[in-house]
Amino acid sequence: MTVDEGMRTVTPGRAAQELELRRDEFQLAVQLGLVRTVPAGESGRRRVEQREIDRFKAAPDFPAGLRDRVRAIGTGEAAALLEITPERFTRLVRTGHLNPVRFSLNRYRAVVWTYLAEEVAEFGLLCPELLTGRLPRELRDRLAAGEDLRPRNWRARRLGVQLRATGDPWAKAAAIAALLDPVQVAEVVDDPYERHHLDRLRPPPPPGVPARAESTRDLVERLMRADDPDEILWHRLSLALALDEARGDRQAPHPGEWGVRSGLRSWTDVAPSVPPVRSVPPTPAMPPTAGPSVPPVAAPLSVAPVAVPLSLPSTVASSPAVVPSPAVAVPSPSLSSASRLPDAVASAGVPSIGTAVLVERRPGRSTRGGLLARFRRGKAARGPRRGSRRGRATTWP
């Protein structure tokens, strides 16, 4: 969904002010899908339509109703809302009865989970038997085994929000791949170009999570990646299905696609470690002709060099018009210089002074070094590329 011509939109900051929400509350409303945003222009930034704001303002319980739906509370406040102890509430959320909506790290590097107050109140109405008395034996056994489903349930909630926020099949596959270890992703996605494309579309980390210190970054990565074997297997299967859907929509962009637009050969059918080479059949050599020498013809500078075999032909043309790249045309100073040329050239007959001859180049530096320089000059003259669907980064809410 994009912004139509003439449609009025506002920035997220202005929308938060009109909806009477704090910044973190507005971000949570966007992440939960309560407030819908649209991409604006080629910058990738998202804005809020004015009619979306008017829809909330027309509600009879505005603004208290919207603020209650995005109210996030911690363990202590949630336990007080259910009239139970914080320890009992922690045991309930560890067994998966409530899903966290976000997490943060305090100064002691401890994970602080928050929950939606609306969901906590609904749980108290649906499961009153778990709020009093002794917990069932099954729950006690799972707690004794060290079960903690809070990270897994948070990842499942966040993945569902991301999948609903985009319609691009490659962006959906990237959201699933972000939950797996790079080794797991490499086992499912064989193409390195596809893995690079998925990495470019990877969703950003959740807001409000510091990741400056090495220890903090490692802790956040452990919380954001699947760790249970059944969870890993589920996401691997989901990634394989999402890739099939994405490939059916379009192929992942390869580095050679810019070469097609610039007149070079595409790298889409060439291995990453093999440089692109355009091969053409060698031009048959003409037999030497007797008679007066013919002055050499200078090759035009606009002729692009082509790749030919490095071995010299058995015969040499007397008046070559275009000299291939692996051989360099140099004027012969005298007829006696033929004795210093390779035997394959001297035996074919050397033209008179001023005629271009072929000299074998030493192996090493390629003679096509000027191709990259000409391409860079042409690219600078054309200016920056316009944004396209494949090159545009996906914006996540």
Side-chain angles (χ1 to χ4, degrees), residues 74-388:
T75 301
E77 192 174 355
L81 182 61
L82 296 177
E83 298 181 355
I84 59 177
T85 62
E87 292 77 12
R88 188 181 186 93
F89 179 81
T90 302
R91 290 194 293 267
L92 291 175
V93 296
R94 286 182 58 186
T95 52
H97 290 85
L98 283 171
N99 298 339
V101 69
R102 61 172 50 172
F103 74 91
S104 60
L105 302 178
N106 59 14
R107 59 180 179 176
Y108 303 107
R109 292 175 50 204
V111 182
V112 179
W113 299 98
T114 55
Y115 311 86
L116 288 178
E118 186 180 16
E119 295 182 357
V120 174
E122 183 180 359
F123 170 74
L125 297 177
L126 296 178
C127 303
E129 67 278 1
L130 296 178
L131 304 181
T132 58
R134 196 176 184 184
L135 292 178
R137 182 177 182 84
E138 178 188 359
L139 299 182
R140 297 199 306 267
D141 294 341
R142 290 164 57 185
L143 291 172
E147 184 180 66
D148 190 357
L149 297 179
R150 287 177 292 181
R152 178 172 181 174
N153 291 340
W154 173 80
R155 289 189 294 264
R157 177 195 285 272
R158 185 167 184 261
L159 178 61
V161 171
Q162 292 170 350
L163 295 180
R164 292 190 299 268
T166 179
D168 185 8
W170 281 104
K172 293 182 178 181
I176 301 174
L179 302 178
L180 296 174
D181 188 83
V183 178
Q184 302 284 346
V185 176
E187 293 178 357
V188 179
V189 188
D190 299 333
D191 193 346
Y193 297 134
E194 292 182 348
R195 291 198 301 269
H196 176 70
H197 189 50
L198 293 177
D199 188 67
R200 288 180 60 252
L201 300 177
R202 179 184 298 268
V209 177
R212 292 188 294 250
E214 187 70 24
S215 58
T216 303
R217 182 165 55 250
D218 295 341
L219 178 59
V220 172
E221 289 182 357
R222 288 198 302 268
L223 293 175
M224 296 182 61
R225 289 179 180 173
D227 51 2
D228 295 335
D230 55 341
E231 183 185 6
I232 294 175
L233 178 60
W234 175 264
H235 290 313
R236 284 171 63 103
L237 295 177
S238 301
L239 178 58
L241 296 177
L243 280 177
D244 292 340
E245 181 182 356
R247 290 164 181 162
D249 181 72
R250 68 182 186 277
Q251 295 296 323
H254 287 201
E257 290 189 350
W258 59 265
V260 176
R261 288 186 287 269
S262 61
L264 302 177
R265 173 173 173 156
S266 173
W267 292 354
T268 54
D269 55 348
V270 182
S273 59
V274 180
V277 177
R278 183 176 61 182
S279 59
V280 296
T283 304
M286 298 177 59
T289 57
S293 61
V294 181
V297 180
L301 296 179
S302 60
V303 177
V306 296
V308 298
L310 292 179
S311 59
L312 291 174
S314 58
T315 58
V316 182
S318 60
S319 57
V322 179
V323 181
S325 176
V328 179
V330 297
S332 176
S334 63
L335 292 176
S336 60
S337 62
S339 60
R340 294 192 298 268
L341 297 178
D343 297 337
V345 180
S347 60
V350 181
S352 59
I353 299 176
T355 305
V357 296
L358 297 177
V359 178
E360 182 181 5
R361 290 186 61 91
R362 296 181 180 179
R365 187 174 180 181
S366 173
T367 60
R368 300 182 61 186
L371 179 60
L372 181 59
R374 290 196 300 272
F375 169 70
R376 288 175 176 173
R377 290 194 299 267
K379 184 176 181 181
R382 288 191 301 270
R385 288 178 51 191
R386 296 184 177 178
S388 59

Side-chain angles (χ1 to χ4, degrees), residues 30-52:
V30 173
Q31 294 175 11
L32 296 177
L34 301 178
V35 178
R36 292 169 294 187
T37 60
V38 293
E42 299 292 338
S43 61
R45 298 182 179 181
R46 306 185 72 89
R47 298 172 65 92
V48 182
E49 298 180 4
Q50 184 62 40
R51 62 183 182 184
E52 181 76 2

